[in-house]
């Protein structure tokens, strides 16, 4: 073949560590804590009749179905963020909103501030468009506010990307004080917020309000991303964004250029579920199921990791985030040994723009394993970590 | 709100003329030849059972469902382009393939050679990424080969974008000689081909082979885009691409970054239809319906435009492309008058990177109007064109 001449950005389109790990983790017999798959078996049945209308065969509007936009505006409103249906854009999953945010905001070299650690696929799409990723350290109830302000003041990021509810990978959930403080800083420094909330509905023990930071802003522009993929049929790819009205015309044009519009039957299925009487019971059932699995994981973790790692029990979301003690590491090299012994996890270094910050961290998904697999897999994994530490002394 | 600081590319994210026209064209009582909507009423029924499996609730693979990739590889093979399922990527409509091609190939200032006229939304996405659009004149059976070679030699475009079957908007269908000549030139100048075939299946009178140009290449890399949206449920957004094996890893990563994967139920519905016994009869019925409408349009056009315009009866696709004689023009200003009188069309200037090339051209969709609407709408439109010409003498 002739020599390929590609766009400069493709040099940043690296093989994804996460993709490689997930490919390895689906080998037969593997106990995998690596992925982030929700529990499809706990999800409500799809309202098939809502998708079957031949009136949905034809092309639809780029903004989304009116019924979907109205139902989603109401759903968002329940969080405390009041939006009109005109501020809602139907997406093929919330990942698409990251693509649009990157197109809208990022030139080569544009600084973007993210939590450290952060969602891998967000870092990837921002980097693809040439962003310079800045990180702010994160604790269990919010970012380091002094570091956050210093970054805003000194580096003037064009946008800040945050996952304030049950953050992926750390499980952090911002306190209301942290939310108010972050909003005030964004307003003071006129910095656009991209707030990503895929896990909000997977709330297991919540004893405090979780008002979106977007709802607390007075001046700063914002894009709010939501997903149904943790509660309703991720294979149907249904997400949404809401945004400051000044951004909507741009976002709608980006949607049109990307794929014309989101498939209509999925929008109608979601709208039907949002308007259904069984909605609250469906969510209760889902959360009960997730809670049992999380608790089983906590029990197994205490047994096998209680003396070698520190973690906070996640109050929502799909992950435990562990920091190993002493000399123990959970790098890619350790993962290779673990995979060889039949257990997969996600090394912490995958979640940092500066990978060395994550050498002692690992993310463990709890939503797809049985208690027996947790017991056996975590015992194996703890042994691997010890063996690796001994071998490298 | 704070001052918005957006990426440079958003300056090229203009309000789309096409979008504005389509919004105007859906006013009640409007006779619209402006859009490009397929005839959903002629489409086969959706195989609902194929979409209903709870096994499709979970996330799927970025490449697409194995059953879809295999069925589509066979479907593409029927054109003469032999590909393996590994070369197929499921898309949320073929528009998404244009987004990926742009990401893969276009830096600011990258020259891309297109037919003049060409598909508006392709020009838009290429320009969004900063392409310098070059045009090659097109006649009914292919491009001006001397001009094509001159552009390849002198401007060294990084990619060439062509719609060789029933081109939008012109209806052009490349002869086999033109296909072979174009392939040889692309090979000689090592230039990547993006071949877009949304209309291949809307073939009404075809008396010659239509081998994809991608199948005739020996050296040049290629991306082949296909859509089901003209024959199967466009509201479900099902398209695909096939590509030279060297490009697939990049394209799969772009898919993952854009929306993780294409919704699974739509893939299964398409795979089911592709494997169904009724497929040929479904296509025959669809084509018969389209043929009747096209013939009705031709009859009405001969009556009202026979002495003021020239056109070739399209052998496929959804459009008539007219070139007006004498001083008659079909610009945006004429459109405004036509809309005021209740008839919509697409001005030719929308389809050219250099709009003045299209002042005397217009595109008319035939697939959504009744014979009575064609008769009344075309009479109105012809009168508008005359009135405008008189008023501007």
């Amino acid at each position: 073949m002739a020599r390929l001449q590609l766009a400069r950005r493709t040099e940043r389109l690296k093989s994804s560590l996460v993709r490689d790990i997930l490919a390895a983790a689906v080998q037969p017999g593997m106990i995998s804590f690596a992925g982030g798959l929700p529990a499809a078996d706990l999800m409500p049945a799809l309202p098939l009749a809502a998708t079957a209308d031949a009136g949905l065969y034809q092309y639809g509007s780029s903004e989304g179905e009116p019924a979907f936009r109205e139902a989603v505006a109401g759903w968002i409103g329940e969080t405390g963020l009041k939006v009109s249906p005109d501020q809602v854009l139907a997406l093929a999953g919330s990942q698409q909103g990251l693509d649009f945010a990157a197109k809208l905001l990022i030139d080569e070299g544009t600084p973007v501030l993210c939590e450290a650690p952060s969602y891998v696929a967000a870092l990837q799409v921002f980097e693809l468009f040439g962003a310079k990723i800045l990180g702010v350290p994160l604790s269990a109830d919010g970012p380091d506010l002094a570091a956050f302000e210093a970054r805003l003041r000194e580096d003037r990021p064009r946008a800040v990307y945050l996952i304030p509810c049950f953050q992926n990978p750390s499980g952090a959930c911002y306190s209301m004080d942290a939310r108010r403080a972050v909003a005030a800083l964004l307003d003071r420094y006129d910095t656009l917020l991209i707030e990503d909330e895929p896990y909000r509905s997977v709330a297991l023990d919540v004893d405090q309000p979780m008002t979106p930071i977007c709802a607390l802003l007075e001046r700063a522009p914002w894009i709010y991303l939501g997903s149904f993929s943790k509660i309703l049929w991720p294979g149907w790819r249904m997400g949404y964004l809401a945004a400051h009205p000044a951004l909507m015309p741009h976002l709608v044009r980006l949607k049109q250029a990307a794929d014309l519009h989101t498939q209509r039957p999925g929008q109608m299925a979601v709208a039907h579920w949002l308007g259904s009487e069984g909605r609250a019971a469906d969510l209760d059932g889902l959360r009960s199921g997730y809670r049992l699995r999380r608790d089983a994981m906590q029990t197994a973790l205490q047994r096998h990791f209680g003396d070698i790692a520190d973690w906070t029990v996640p109050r929502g979301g799909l992950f435990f985030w562990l920091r190993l003690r002493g000399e123990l590491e959970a790098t890619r090299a350790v993962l290779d040994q673990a995979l060889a012994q039949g257990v997969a996890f996600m090394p912490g270094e995958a979640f940092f723009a500066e990978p060395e910050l994550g050498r002692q961290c690992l993310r463990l998904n709890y939503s797809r394993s049985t208690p027996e697999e947790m017991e056996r897999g975590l015992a194996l994994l703890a042994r691997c970590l010890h063996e690796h530490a001994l071998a490298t002394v």
Side-chain angles (χ1 to χ4, degrees), chain A:
Chain A
M1 192 187 62
R3 193 177 62 84
L4 270 179
Q5 216 192 341
L6 302 177
R8 281 192 307 275
R9 76 179 66 77
T10 57
E11 292 163 22
R12 299 185 296 259
L13 193 61
K14 293 164 290 197
S15 173
S16 155
L17 174 60
V18 173
R19 228 181 117 75
D20 295 350
I21 294 170
L22 294 181
V26 295
Q27 302 305 315
M30 187 72 67
I31 298 176
S32 178
F33 307 118
L37 294 183
D41 55 316
L42 298 176
M43 291 181 179
L46 182 90
L48 196 65
T51 70
D53 182 358
L56 301 174
Y57 288 2
Q58 190 51 272
Y59 283 105
S61 83
S62 295
E63 291 85 349
E65 297 298 301
F68 178 85
R69 300 177 85 196
E70 188 164 344
V72 168
W75 172 250
I76 296 172
E78 293 174 26
T79 67
L81 175 62
K82 302 301 176 190
V83 297
S84 83
D86 290 346
Q87 287 173 271
V88 174
L89 179 64
L91 299 178
S94 63
Q95 179 72 30
Q96 188 171 51
L98 297 172
D99 180 65
F100 295 171
K103 285 171 174 163
L104 185 68
L105 297 165
I106 300 176
D107 294 307
E108 285 201 34
T110 298
V112 175
L113 181 57
C114 298
E115 297 146 331
S118 187
Y119 173 50
V120 179
L123 300 180
Q124 281 172 342
V125 73
F126 297 159
E127 284 172 347
L128 176 64
F129 279 84
K132 182 183 160 199
I133 304 287
L134 312 170
V136 60
L138 189 63
S139 66
D141 60 358
D144 176 331
L145 290 170
F148 189 77
E149 175 161 18
R151 286 299 206 181
L152 293 183
R153 189 180 56 237
E154 287 159 27
D155 298 305
R156 293 282 167 176
R158 190 176 289 172
V160 171
Y161 172 72
L162 302 176
I163 313 167
C165 289
F166 320 124
Q167 203 247 11
N168 177 7
S170 72
C173 187
Y174 287 29
S175 67
M176 274 308 294
D177 283 350
R179 290 166 190 267
R180 283 191 206 96
V182 165
L185 288 169
L186 293 170
D187 275 338
R188 183 175 320 153
Y189 291 96
D190 278 356
T191 309
L192 185 143
L193 173 63
I194 305 162
E195 185 169 22
D196 193 4
E197 298 227 301
Y199 303 104
R200 169 176 282 273
S201 297
V202 189
L204 306 182
D205 322 304
V206 176
D207 51 5
Q208 56 174 0
M210 304 194 298
T211 311
I213 298 173
C214 289
L216 306 172
L217 294 172
E218 292 177 3
R219 284 174 51 83
W222 52 272
I223 299 173
Y224 179 83
L225 302 179
S227 172
F228 291 103
S229 290
K230 312 310 169 196
I231 56 174
L232 303 174
W233 335 300
W236 283 67
R237 311 299 307 112
M238 292 307 309
Y240 55 88
L241 67 77
H244 189 288
L247 297 174
M248 287 303 294
H250 298 290
L251 291 164
V252 171
R253 286 174 208 151
L254 287 170
K255 177 68 181 171
Q256 194 186 28
D259 62 4
L260 302 185
H261 69 81
T262 296
Q263 47 115 352
R264 301 173 70 194
Q267 294 184 60
M268 297 313 289
V270 168
H272 184 275
W273 180 81
L274 286 174
S276 68
E277 286 192 3
R279 196 180 90 174
D282 285 343
L283 283 176
D284 283 348
L286 193 74
R287 288 170 183 151
S288 298
Y290 276 124
R291 210 176 278 120
L292 285 174
R293 295 178 195 193
R294 181 207 52 187
D295 293 347
M297 189 76 163
Q298 168 67 6
T299 302
L301 273 172
Q302 280 177 313
R303 184 151 39 239
H304 299 291
F305 282 75
D307 54 355
I308 59 168
D310 297 295
W311 68 91
T312 303
V313 180
R315 288 174 291 159
L318 304 182
F319 307 107
F320 282 75
W321 177 248
L322 274 63
R323 181 173 291 278
L324 299 170
R325 295 184 195 153
E327 302 298 309
L328 291 176
E329 294 193 333
T331 57
R332 178 64 200 257
V334 183
L335 172 66
D336 288 339
Q337 295 182 15
L339 288 172
Q341 298 194 31
V343 58
F345 68 93
M346 199 63 80
E349 52 194 16
F351 303 95
F352 290 88
E354 299 165 272
E356 61 281 8
L357 293 177
R359 294 180 71 83
Q360 292 205 284
C361 298
L362 64 165
R363 191 192 74 176
L364 299 172
N365 168 254
Y366 71 79
S367 59
R368 295 269 294 172
S369 303
T370 63
E372 295 69 30
E373 288 167 333
M374 292 174 183
E375 182 59 35
R376 196 152 46 88
L378 291 177
L380 258 174
L381 181 54
R383 207 178 63 202
C384 269
L385 297 175
H386 280 298
E387 283 172 1
H388 181 85
L390 286 173
T392 54
V393 162

